[in-house]
Amino acid sequence: MTARQPADRTTYAPFILGQSLLLVDPGLTAKAAIFQRKAGWIGNGHDWQSIAKTLLKEQHPALSERIEFDSEAEMFVARGEHVDLITLAEAMCRVYHGDGRLIDLQSRAELD
């Protein structure tokens, strides 16, 4: 069993890394204008989940089988081993802070 990890709200901001990897408002909807460029996307937790799944499939395929998602409209949630969540947090943080990366991944992602 994995030891409980204290929540890290700064290293991967705006993502919060603890027992899960989370993204909630205001960070969740801050990129809504980018998401809304593509029909059907609004920038909610489900949309971020679609981005994360595409990222894992393309860049970290081994993690695709080990990370589970439980996102809702108002939050993105990923669960797994802490070391795997760190890898996802690093990658998602780069996507979040690089609009070009987000647009690129969204062009290949499918809505959940």
Side-chain angles (χ1 to χ4, degrees), residues 30-62:
K31 302 290 182 173
I34 292 171
F35 279 102
Q36 292 168 2
R37 293 177 184 180
K38 189 172 178 183
W41 294 72
I42 56 176
N44 65 12
H46 300 291
D47 293 352
W48 280 105
Q49 179 171 305
S50 295
I51 295 297
K53 284 182 173 182
T54 301
L55 184 147
L56 289 176
K57 179 180 168 187
E58 294 179 3
Q59 298 176 18
H60 302 282

Side-chain angles (χ1 to χ4, degrees), residues 92-111:
M92 289 296 286
C93 192
R94 285 191 299 273
V95 168
Y96 188 94
H97 293 291
D99 292 351
R101 290 180 178 139
L102 177 57
I103 292 165
D104 181 55
L105 281 168
Q106 185 189 25
S107 72
R108 294 183 305 284
E110 296 180 18
L111 283 172

Side-chain angles (χ1 to χ4, degrees), residues 6-51:
D8 180 347
R9 297 175 176 273
T10 57
T11 305
Y12 311 102
F15 294 89
I16 302 165
L17 179 62
Q19 292 298 105
S20 310
L21 180 63
L22 305 173
L23 179 62
V24 295
D25 269 333
L28 182 71
T29 56
K31 302 290 182 173
I34 292 171
F35 279 102
Q36 292 168 2
R37 293 177 184 180
K38 189 172 178 183
W41 294 72
I42 56 176
N44 65 12
H46 300 291
D47 293 352
W48 280 105
Q49 179 171 305
S50 295
I51 295 297

